[in-house]
Amino acid sequence: MLLVGLGAVSTTTIAGVIAVRRGLARPIGSLTQMGTIRLGKRTEGRSPAISDFVPLASLGDVVFGGWDIFDENSYEAAKTAGVLDVELLEQIRPELERITPMPAVFERKYVKRLDGPNVKKGKNKRELAEQLREDIRRFKNDNGLSRLVLIWAGSTEIYMQESPAHASLDAFEKALEANDDSIPSSMIYAYAAIREAVPYANAAPNLSADVPALLQLAQQTGSPVAGKDLKTGQTWMKTLLAPGLKARLLGVEGWYSTNILGNRDGEVLDDPDSFKTKEESKLSVLEYILQPEVYPDLYKDLHHVVRINYYPPRGDNKEGWDNIDIFGWLGYKMQLKINFLCRDSILAAPIVLDTALFLDLASRAGMSGIQEWLSFYFKSPMHAASVYPEHDLFIQLMKLKNTLRHLQGEELITHLGLEYYD
């Protein structure tokens, strides 16, 4: 679980950010740091970097901390994970060694394949939440910070659905005191963050802040919330391809997806109850993009299958295979096959940074509750109960950039373009 502090004058302490600040020629690949935004008409030629257009926190004023069930410092943890090159780790070793995790809130019943010694003790979940709130306040004070963002980057918990304990803030707080099983660890973190008016994002697919009780609390404290489940590999490919197939009205008979993954995430998802949570997140994407109720002849009978296979030799280098059976004019059949050999953490790290910086921006702009404009980053984006979630990556990016234009008083862009031909 990642705690991001902003508005400090201390040294930045995350590998990717330090690499950039030290001139190590390792680009972040982050939208907030490398992306641009068009302003006004195409003829005006105004396309500043997003980081120059909106008042994001300076990377030099960002401090990272967090909680973990293992007590290794960040250098030791990074060596164990084997994601970053040893040469890079050695260059930033002193900064990473200074980051030691706080004891975590953890119950193995929610993540069955993991266990660790660095865990908090308390008489009930309310007391554990108060310990987290104290951690947040101490971290802020010790680092001289003005603002914080908390991101759940923990493992995928078992599949859970809303219960009466989630229906209202009063019911939720009583359930905390009663050690109700319907409140997993991630919800305790979400509650602690939102109680402290800290923006919160859920980078995993499990039930967390997306329940009425915590959304009610977010409105009371003014805390922005976003999630869930970062969109990095196979699902990112689906949100790129499915809009294109639909735009050309090509039918889809089947979409078979399988993943080979060998890191700790793969080990956790080898448990059927945790996989069920991830499966629900991954399966929802195509239904909302392709709209089978609107295009029954093309998508009504789509067979969508998702598999995840734990394969330790692959480590963090995930491999995603997709077989897509499509048909076109006169029903003639075709196929698409994709083999995406990706690096899970390398894809995820920059969008964690984006999410933190944008949530901080939202907080300073007085935007509380669900931040649907950040759907671009998530597999199962949070949304108002009255609307369906938007999964089309290109619509999501338009929503994100138009929100930034709105915040800065710039004209929203529709791409109509008729004015160029009048």
Side-chain angles (χ1 to χ4, degrees):
M1 286 59 67
L2 184 64
L3 189 59
V4 184
L6 308 108
V9 292
S10 29
T11 306
T12 310
T13 49
I14 183 171
V17 179
I18 294 173
V20 172
R21 294 182 71 234
R22 287 183 153 200
L24 299 179
R26 297 293 181 100
I28 294 176
S30 156
L31 182 64
T32 59
Q33 302 307 308
M34 299 178 69
T36 62
I37 182 167
R38 186 191 121 197
L39 305 177
K41 295 180 171 56
R42 279 181 280 167
T43 51
E44 295 178 32
R46 292 195 295 146
S47 294
I50 288 173
S51 57
D52 293 332
F53 175 59
V54 292
L56 298 175
S58 166
L59 294 185
D61 290 340
V62 177
V63 178
F64 285 78
W67 301 263
D68 202 330
I69 64 172
F70 302 104
D71 56 9
E72 299 173 309
N73 65 45
S74 290
Y75 172 76
E76 294 165 340
K79 281 191 69 176
T80 300
V83 175
L84 300 179
D85 296 339
V86 174
E87 300 154 351
L88 175 60
L89 287 177
E90 287 303 318
Q91 293 181 65
I92 55 179
R93 180 172 180 169
E95 292 94 337
L96 292 178
E97 285 181 331
R98 284 198 292 270
I99 308 175
T100 56
M102 295 174 276
V105 171
F106 178 78
E107 276 192 81
R108 198 173 184 188
K109 71 172 68 172
Y110 302 109
V111 184
K112 299 175 185 176
R113 297 295 170 94
L114 291 185
D115 201 6
N118 198 36
V119 176
K120 292 186 185 300
K121 304 295 183 184
K123 65 180 181 181
N124 57 38
K125 295 180 179 182
R126 183 66 177 265
E127 185 175 295
L128 293 173
E130 293 304 317
Q131 291 181 36
L132 290 177
R133 294 179 67 185
E134 177 57 32
D135 287 345
I136 291 169
R137 292 191 289 264
R138 184 173 56 252
F139 181 82
K140 184 177 182 180
N141 181 67
D142 290 351
N143 290 280
L145 302 168
S146 58
R147 305 181 307 279
L148 297 169
V149 173
L150 196 154
I151 297 179
W152 170 268
S155 297
T156 299
E157 295 170 328
I158 62 173
Y159 181 69
M160 299 182 70
Q161 294 179 304
E162 281 188 31
S163 77
H166 307 139
S168 70
L169 182 56
D170 181 61
F172 187 90
E173 291 181 332
K174 287 178 180 175
L176 283 172
E177 293 173 359
N179 275 330
D180 195 309
D181 285 343
S182 63
I183 299 181
S185 304
S186 63
M187 275 191 188
I188 302 174
Y189 280 93
Y191 172 81
I194 297 169
R195 261 288 174 215
E196 293 295 312
V198 171
Y200 174 84
N202 179 16
N206 38 271
L207 198 65
S208 183
D210 47 332
V211 295
L214 294 181
L215 294 178
Q216 176 189 347
L217 181 60
Q219 291 297 335
Q220 288 181 13
T221 63
S223 179
V225 295
K228 58 187 184 179
D229 201 6
L230 288 179
K231 182 164 54 185
T232 54
Q234 193 169 66
T235 307
W236 173 48
M237 289 287 103
K238 287 179 179 177
T239 61
L240 284 167
L241 287 169
L245 294 172
K246 179 184 171 184
R248 288 291 301 269
L249 295 180
L250 292 170
V252 181
E253 286 186 316
W255 199 310
Y256 184 91
S257 302
T258 191
N259 298 266
I260 297 173
L261 182 61
N263 61 13
R264 191 169 287 158
D265 193 30
E267 183 180 4
V268 168
L269 294 173
D270 204 36
D271 171 61
D273 290 330
S274 289
F275 171 71
K276 171 68 173 174
T277 306
K278 176 67 78 170
E279 183 183 35
E280 290 294 315
S281 175
K282 283 175 167 283
L283 286 174
S284 64
V285 171
L286 291 183
E287 178 182 353
Y288 285 108
I289 292 177
L290 297 177
Q291 295 179 294
E293 73 284 358
V294 179
Y295 302 97
D297 293 341
L298 299 177
Y299 310 118
K300 179 172 65 72
D301 297 321
L302 167 64
H303 298 279
H304 187 195
V305 178
V306 174
R307 296 286 183 265
I308 297 176
N309 300 287
Y310 178 48
Y311 182 58
R314 194 56 57 91
D316 194 68
N317 297 336
K318 182 169 69 175
E319 184 166 359
W321 296 340
D322 286 86
N323 178 83
I324 311 162
D325 290 286
I326 65 176
F327 58 92
W329 188 53
L330 301 178
Y332 279 86
K333 296 185 177 183
M334 297 170 275
Q335 288 187 358
L336 287 168
K337 295 184 184 295
I338 302 165
N339 187 14
F340 187 18
L341 288 84
C342 61
R343 294 174 180 263
D344 219 31
S345 298
I346 296 301
L347 289 170
I351 65 177
V352 170
L353 178 62
D354 275 7
T355 301
L357 294 178
F358 278 143
L359 279 175
D360 175 61
L361 176 68
S363 181
R364 286 184 283 128
M367 302 167 72
S368 61
I370 294 172
Q371 304 299 302
E372 192 188 353
W373 62 285
L374 296 180
S375 296
F376 178 74
Y377 296 108
F378 297 100
K379 291 187 186 76
S380 299
M382 295 176 68
H383 57 94
S386 58
V387 298
Y388 60 82
E390 183 55 73
H391 283 280
D392 184 317
L393 187 74
F394 305 99
I395 295 175
Q396 290 175 336
L397 185 59
M398 172 74 74
K399 184 188 294 287
L400 188 155
K401 290 191 174 184
N402 266 340
T403 301
L404 298 180
R405 294 182 184 106
H406 169 73
L407 288 174
Q408 293 299 90
E410 287 280 346
E411 181 181 357
L412 305 188
I413 290 180
T414 65
H415 295 289
L416 183 62
L418 293 178
E419 67 273 18
Y420 304 118
Y421 303 98
D422 290 339

